[in-house]
């Protein structure tokens, strides 16, 4: 993330902008029970859109006015991202915005962006007291984003400036989101919704990230956006048209989504701060805000909604991850297994066989039986430079023991490391050992991985002190 820094004297428009956003918030959150859910969030998001457009206008005036306006606006775009990008801005949610420019060295665009950053800090953070997340990126930055940032930017929504910049960036970003992105989010929600690790019926549920909460719905959205290129507001329409979800499932999700959003809004307003845990104290307080007779009635409706969300989203996620998912140009996933997308002859190219194991490792899947047979049919030695580049990537990743064990089972590790072939069949001189030297070496890898996974022990300190863990 590139931070904008400039010498800035407060714009005379800042005080006026602060007054406008405070008035817009007050208007958006004036209510009579019951508090609205998604409708209120969208109303507030629209008010913030006006603020961001006004900030950009103030920044243009401060940076050079009409002399730079056209040139600057042609080369930058302001976008709402994250929950604000989806128009799901709760009363005290962080306001996440990003400025995209065509060129990091473009003078007019960068001058405006720097001024906009300082105005946002002055108005939103200092004068209004809301948290703001700000990022500055070039249109080519989609190539080097971490998973969290990819996800946030996937919900980017144009507010001001050149809309084509946002559309091009999103198109390029989606082109990089394959099976790894889909499986990452599916795994995250499976962990959160696992009845053995995260209860569906906590006394004080997290309405945003808990099991059966809003994040389950968001995850379906991110996966669908990555696979089908649809906008966030069209996700469930797309799923119904593709017969992945039924119309009744989409309607149930919409109803539950709106209710839990209304609970979240009420939590924020009752606490006058960001709060997503539905505590026992708040249950009694917000039940009347939702026109419900008691906290018991509130929780009954909440649990019922969470049940439906988890059931429907879990079912749809399973369908989505079992589709044909591209991993790269050579491999794809189907039915949770790695398969070859090209003719078997492609496996003769340097690095391609080892890459199959690296892809399986990253996606945490098995090779398909057909791919295993295709690899077994290859008889060449794997000693090209590209073979070793892929192998080093495996050593730097997770699940190294399982990956190398599979490579050994298919004879690949022996042809990559000829010395290992002899070790695998060699009995130790001291017969107290239970395994051959080669098998023992693999088991040492398993022990090292267990050490790496330790969080609060002597092993954790030892492991963190190792400079080149992959080499070890």
């Amino acid at each position: 993330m590139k931070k904008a820094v400039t010498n800035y004297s407060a714009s005379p428009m800042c005080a006026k902008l602060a007054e406008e956003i405070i008035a817009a918030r007050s208007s958006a959150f004036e209510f009579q029970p019951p508090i609205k859910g998604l409708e209120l969030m969208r109303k507030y998001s629209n008010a913030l859109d006006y603020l961001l457009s006004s900030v950009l206008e103030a920044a243009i005036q401060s940076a050079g006015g009409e002399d730079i306006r056209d040139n600057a606006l042609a080369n930058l775009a302001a976008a709402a991202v994250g929950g604000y990008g989806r128009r799901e801005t709760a009363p005290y949610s962080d306001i996440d915005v990003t400025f995209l420019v065509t060129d990091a060295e473009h003078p007019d665009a960068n001058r405006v962006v720097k001024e906009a950053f300082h105005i946002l800090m002055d108005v939103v953070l200092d004068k209004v007291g809301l948290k703001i997340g700000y990022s500055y990126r070039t249109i080519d930055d989609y190539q080097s984003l971490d998973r969290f940032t990819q996800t946030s930017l996937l919900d980017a929504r144009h507010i001001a400036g050149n809309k084509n910049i946002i559309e091009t960036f999103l198109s390029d970003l989606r082109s990089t989101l394959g099976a790894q992105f889909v499986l990452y989010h599916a795994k995250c929600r499976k962990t959160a919704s696992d009845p053995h690790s995260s209860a569906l019926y906590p006394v004080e549920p997290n309405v945003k990230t808990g099991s059966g909460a809003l994040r389950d719905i968001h995850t379906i959205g991110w996966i669908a956006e990555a696979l089908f290129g649809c906008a966030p507001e069209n996700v469930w329409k797309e799923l119904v048209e593709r017969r992945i979800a039924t119309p009744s499932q989409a309607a149930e999700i919409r109803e539950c989504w709106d209710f839990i959003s209304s609970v979240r809004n009420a939590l924020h307003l009752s606490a006058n701060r960001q709060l997503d845990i539905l505590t026992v104290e708040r249950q009694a307080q917000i039940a009347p805000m939702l026109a419900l007779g008691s906290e018991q009635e509130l929780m009954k409706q909440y649990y019922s909604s969470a049940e439906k969300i988890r059931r429907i989203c879990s079912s749809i996620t399973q369908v989505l991850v079992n589709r044909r998912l591209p991993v790269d140009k050579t491999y794809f996933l189907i039915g949770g297994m790695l398969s070859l997308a090209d003719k078997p002859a492609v496996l003769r190219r340097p690095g391609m066989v080892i890459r199959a194991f690296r892809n399986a490792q990253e996606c945490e899947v098995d090779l398909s039986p057909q791919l295993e047979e295709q690899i077994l049919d290859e008889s060449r030695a794997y000693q090209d430079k590209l073979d070793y580049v892929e192998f080093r990537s495996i050593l730097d990743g997770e699940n190294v023991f399982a990956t190398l064990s599979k490579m050994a089972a298919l004879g690949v590790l022996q042809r990559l490391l000829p010395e290992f072939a002899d070790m695998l069949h060699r009995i130790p001189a001291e017969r107290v050992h239970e395994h051959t030297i080669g098998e023992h070496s693999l088991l040492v890898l398993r022990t090292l991985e267990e050490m790496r996974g330790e969080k609060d022990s002597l092993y954790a300190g030892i492991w963190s002190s190792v400079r080149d863990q992959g080499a070890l």
Side-chain angles (χ1 to χ4, degrees):
M1 181 183 298
K2 306 177 181 69
K3 291 293 184 182
V5 179
T6 188
N7 294 321
Y8 175 72
S9 58
S11 166
M13 293 185 68
C14 286
K16 180 181 178 183
L17 287 172
E19 291 175 1
E20 288 179 351
I21 190 59
I22 290 171
R25 281 174 53 78
S26 299
S27 174
F29 301 130
E30 285 178 353
F31 67 90
Q32 294 293 327
I35 288 179
K36 301 293 184 182
L38 294 171
E39 179 184 332
L40 187 150
M41 289 178 166
R42 291 198 178 99
K43 184 179 179 182
Y44 181 36
S45 298
N46 290 339
L48 291 174
D49 289 354
Y50 172 75
L51 167 71
L52 190 54
S53 297
S54 299
V55 165
L56 190 60
E57 176 60 31
I60 291 171
Q61 295 302 323
S62 180
E66 299 306 313
D67 291 341
I68 69 166
R69 173 187 296 278
D70 291 345
N71 197 20
L73 289 179
N75 289 280
L76 71 84
V81 297
Y84 174 31
R86 297 189 302 272
R87 285 193 172 94
E88 288 185 58
T89 319
Y92 288 90
S93 292
D94 293 353
I95 302 169
D96 295 320
V97 300
T98 192
F99 286 90
L100 281 165
V101 296
T102 55
D103 184 351
E105 304 301 323
H106 193 281
D108 292 341
N110 279 287
R111 200 177 309 139
V112 170
V113 169
K114 289 174 183 178
E115 295 294 349
F117 166 72
H118 285 282
I119 295 172
L120 280 170
M121 293 301 105
D122 189 2
V123 173
V124 180
L125 185 62
D126 296 339
K127 288 186 169 61
V128 182
L130 295 176
K131 292 182 180 179
I132 184 160
Y134 169 92
S135 65
Y136 162 57
R137 305 186 184 281
T138 70
I139 198 169
D140 295 324
D141 282 351
Y142 71 92
Q143 302 174 76
S144 56
L145 302 173
D146 60 41
R147 195 73 74 208
F148 176 85
T149 307
Q150 285 179 331
T151 305
S152 178
L153 291 174
L154 192 57
D155 289 324
R157 178 171 56 82
H158 173 264
I159 302 297
N162 188 342
K163 190 173 184 179
N164 288 335
I165 293 176
I166 300 294
E167 292 176 345
T168 299
F169 181 86
L170 282 174
S171 177
D172 290 339
L173 173 62
R174 291 187 185 110
S175 72
T176 69
L177 305 180
Q180 295 93 330
F181 181 87
V182 172
L183 294 176
Y184 167 80
H185 282 293
K187 180 181 178 182
C188 287
R189 291 321 296 165
K190 183 177 181 181
T191 300
S193 296
D194 184 346
H196 299 292
S197 62
S198 180
L200 184 60
Y201 307 102
V203 173
E204 297 185 329
N206 187 314
V207 304
K208 181 180 178 182
T209 62
S211 180
L214 297 173
R215 188 62 83 227
D216 283 13
I217 300 173
H218 300 157
T219 298
I220 294 293
W222 295 326
I223 293 175
E225 289 169 51
L227 292 179
F228 310 130
C230 52
E233 62 270 20
N234 294 327
V235 163
W236 287 90
K237 178 183 177 183
E238 185 81 23
L239 293 173
V240 170
E241 289 178 351
R242 290 176 178 270
R243 298 187 177 181
I244 295 170
T246 65
S248 62
Q249 285 177 322
E252 280 189 288
I253 286 293
R254 174 62 59 175
E255 181 181 356
C256 297
W257 190 355
D258 191 57
F259 173 72
I260 294 185
S261 295
S262 69
V263 173
R264 189 174 185 223
N265 289 335
L267 275 170
H268 281 216
L269 291 172
S270 68
N272 288 317
R273 62 181 175 86
Q274 189 174 126
L275 178 65
D276 295 322
I277 306 294
L278 185 50
T279 63
V280 171
E281 175 190 5
R282 296 294 175 188
Q283 290 168 20
Q285 189 174 354
I286 72 171
M289 296 172 70
L290 300 175
L292 297 172
S294 66
E295 57 264 43
Q296 185 59 51
E297 186 178 350
L298 164 68
M299 297 312 295
K300 181 178 180 180
Q301 189 167 343
Y302 179 87
Y303 294 134
S304 176
S305 297
E307 289 169 345
K308 293 175 184 177
I309 289 172
R310 188 168 79 172
R311 170 176 52 81
I312 294 171
C313 290
S314 295
S315 173
I316 291 174
T317 299
Q318 193 63 36
V319 173
L320 291 173
V321 299
N322 283 324
R323 292 172 61 86
R324 178 176 173 134
L325 304 175
V327 177
D328 55 29
K329 293 181 180 179
T330 307
Y331 295 100
F332 68 93
L333 296 183
I334 190 164
M337 289 188 170
L338 190 74
S339 296
L340 189 62
D342 210 332
K343 295 180 180 178
V346 75
L347 296 177
R348 297 172 194 157
R349 298 177 188 170
M352 285 301 174
V353 168
I354 312 303
R355 183 182 298 175
F357 293 96
R358 179 170 66 86
N359 285 339
Q361 175 193 34
E362 290 181 352
C363 296
E364 298 184 37
V365 298
D366 293 325
L367 307 182
S368 69
Q370 183 181 20
L371 179 55
E372 287 190 3
E373 289 299 320
Q374 290 166 334
I375 290 174
L376 285 169
D377 288 341
E378 291 298 313
S379 58
R380 70 176 181 87
Y382 302 110
Q383 295 177 13
D384 187 272
K385 180 181 178 179
L386 290 176
D387 292 317
Y388 290 116
V389 168
E390 296 288 350
F391 183 61
R392 181 55 195 259
S393 295
I394 290 173
L395 298 180
D396 288 336
E398 305 289 334
N399 301 314
V400 178
F401 166 72
T403 304
L404 266 59
S405 295
K406 173 59 72 172
M407 292 175 67
L410 296 180
V412 173
L413 191 58
Q414 295 89 312
R415 280 180 273 156
L416 181 72
L417 304 172
E419 300 83 358
F420 182 76
D422 177 67
M423 292 167 58
L424 200 56
H425 295 164
R426 183 171 293 277
I427 296 174
E430 297 180 6
R431 298 305 175 90
V432 295
H433 295 286
E434 297 181 8
H435 307 282
T436 66
I437 294 174
E439 180 73 4
H440 185 74
S441 299
L442 289 175
L443 292 173
V444 169
L445 284 176
R446 184 174 67 182
T447 302
L448 288 172
E449 286 196 293
E450 290 171 352
M451 287 177 58
R452 181 169 62 181
E454 291 284 344
K455 301 298 182 184
D456 302 307
S457 71
L458 173 64
Y459 295 129
I462 295 173
W463 186 262
S464 64
S465 69
V466 177
R467 287 187 178 182
D468 193 342
Q469 298 175 0
L472 179 61

